Amino acid sequence: MRILFSAIGGSDPIKRMLDGPMLHCCRVYKPDRVYLYFSQKMLEYENKDQRYTWAIERLGEKLGHKFETVKIERSKLAEVQLFDTFYNDFEGILSEIEEQYPDAEIYVNASSGTPAMKSAYVVIAAMSNRKINAVQVSSGHNAPVHDRDSDEGYDKELQWELNQDNEPNFTDRTTIIDSPRFLVKIKKENVRRLVAAYDYSAARIMVEEIEEYLHPDAVKLINAAEARAKLDYVGVVKALKGTDISIIPVKDDKKRDITEYLLRLGIMLKQHDYLGFIRGITPAASELMRTAFQTAVGNDIENYCAKVNGHFILSEEILRQTDKGLEILNILDNEFVKRGGFREIEWSTAQLEPVISEMSDDEKIKKYANVIRKAEYTLRNPAAHTIISVGDDLIQRQIDMSGADLYDVIKKMAVRIGLVPKTVWNSYDEMNELILNKLDI
């Protein structure tokens, strides 16, 4: 089955002794079903003398072809210059047609109607998930066919008799619009927006559809960015193989891991993923405080632990073996006195923060550790165990500071203890700029 969808414009149905675009599409493609879209003015002409449906009937008789005509009447539509109006309306109509006739071959006449109508057709045809043929019809003259002055006194019988396209050797003036490049332009703009929003997975999916039109480095960079956002460093290296591009600023494995993790935490905040941000605080806090603990004590926390089934459990026996260990034990006894003092459990920030607070010589680190520990403890339970809306307002209520303020404290501590260079915090934006530059090539 073949279907034509056409708005009615000033050039229809016949002008200057030639088919208007709508009738010419019917002549060339012989659709079985023709949907005619009438604005207020065009509907007045149709109601006056049925010039459009009559012309299709006469053409059907001449060609020996049955055209089934469906009129879509928009009797109150006078503002015919608004793109959004037609885009939404046309998209809805075409979706219904596709649903009703899933196997049909669909054509849209992109030469009748106002510029807004024509633009809407082309965009919809380009963006559709299925094949919609947007047809352009040349006027056959050096000037446009449109001649509105003759519409009021239009003589449909005379126009039919004088129509040169009724001759056997008429010239086919239709062209199927090659929409891929138009589609590429639209999708490239969408890719740019997705990259700016740090949604690299969605950008990568869209890039796959237009890969042949893009610079190879742009494709590789978006694949690498997606892997980076997933903390997949092997994937980053694989994606950028064969280029001299580097997007990971820190090379040392340990510092790279925490740097990339903290950068990813910042992206969650920019995307307003506050639940992910809150859940991500604990791993970040553990790594930061572990390093701060080691700086303050001169020893890693795991050296005071016994390994049990793969878990590092704080051991009273090991703590009692050194003066530093005894000092740590005494701090933890005092910290947890209301719970009966020190307990042999797996270490966490709950044990690290009080030791840092007592044994560090750096007042700023003490302050940062206290803020992060309080935020982690206060925010984690509501976010993890309660079905609630998690937004920046929740963070503000719970810890009297915004998510951005808390992230700033985390960054300052990371730099202060030497885990993260202070020059890396714009790394994702620098990567995005590189991607966007490659998209423009």
Side-chain angles (χ1 to χ4, degrees), residues 131-185:
K131 177 71 170 177
I132 294 180
N133 301 289
V135 183
Q136 213 164 18
V137 182
S138 69
S139 67
H141 298 274
N142 293 328
V145 175
H146 181 67
D147 181 5
R148 189 170 297 282
D149 291 339
S150 65
D151 285 344
E152 299 300 334
Y154 190 86
D155 186 334
K156 62 185 183 183
E157 296 279 1
L158 178 62
Q159 291 287 345
W160 177 261
E161 292 301 324
L162 296 176
N163 186 0
Q164 296 175 10
D165 282 330
N166 283 327
E167 299 297 327
N169 60 342
F170 78 95
T171 300
D172 179 354
R173 292 178 278 113
T174 66
T175 304
I176 301 293
I177 296 175
D178 184 12
S179 61
R181 290 195 177 276
F182 180 77
L183 178 61
V184 167
K185 186 174 182 180

Side-chain angles (χ1 to χ4, degrees), residues 225-400:
E226 181 185 28
R228 183 186 187 185
K230 295 177 180 178
L231 306 180
D232 176 10
Y233 311 119
V234 174
V236 171
V237 172
K238 183 178 179 181
L240 294 177
K241 187 176 181 181
T243 76
D244 58 357
I245 300 171
S246 176
I247 60 173
I248 305 293
V250 177
K251 306 306 177 186
D252 176 80
D253 286 351
K254 180 180 178 181
K255 291 185 177 182
R256 177 202 63 196
D257 290 349
I258 186 61
T259 298
E260 289 298 313
Y261 185 85
L262 293 182
L263 289 172
R264 188 69 186 92
L265 206 60
I267 297 305
M268 291 179 187
L269 202 56
K270 289 181 178 181
Q271 293 176 324
H272 305 293
D273 180 10
Y274 295 106
L275 182 59
F277 175 72
I278 289 171
R279 288 173 174 170
I281 291 173
T282 294
S286 296
E287 193 60 40
L288 294 178
M289 291 195 201
R290 179 175 180 173
T291 300
F293 175 96
Q294 186 170 359
T295 301
V297 174
N299 217 342
D300 186 73
I301 183 64
E302 290 182 358
N303 290 329
Y304 299 105
C305 298
K307 194 171 184 179
V308 180
N309 297 325
H311 298 279
F312 288 90
I313 309 299
L314 282 166
S315 168
E316 182 174 355
E317 179 182 352
I318 296 175
L319 286 166
R320 290 188 178 280
Q321 292 175 4
T322 62
D323 291 340
K324 281 286 179 67
L326 285 169
E327 188 177 354
I328 293 169
L329 182 59
N330 184 54
I331 292 170
L332 296 179
D333 262 332
N334 292 333
E335 177 70 16
F336 300 106
V337 65
K338 293 182 179 179
R339 303 182 190 175
F342 170 81
R343 289 187 299 163
E344 292 193 337
I345 59 175
E346 189 171 6
W347 70 269
S348 70
T349 57
Q351 290 78 38
L352 297 179
E353 190 274 326
V355 175
I356 294 167
S357 183
E358 291 292 334
M359 299 181 68
S360 176
D361 294 329
D362 191 321
E363 293 300 321
K364 288 190 174 181
I365 287 179
K366 290 180 183 183
K367 178 183 176 182
Y368 299 152
N370 179 264
V371 170
I372 294 170
R373 170 57 191 155
K374 179 185 175 183
E376 179 202 9
Y377 176 78
T378 306
L379 295 171
R380 181 178 56 199
N381 287 339
H385 304 297
T386 311
I387 301 177
I388 56 173
S389 174
V390 178
D392 203 32
D393 55 337
L394 172 71
I395 298 175
Q396 187 75 47
R397 288 197 308 270
Q398 293 287 339
I399 63 173
D400 198 29

Side-chain angles (χ1 to χ4, degrees), residues 79-91:
E79 298 292 328
V80 292
Q81 76 278 8
L82 302 178
F83 173 84
D84 287 348
T85 299
F86 298 115
Y87 183 88
N88 295 332
D89 202 9
F90 290 174
E91 187 177 43

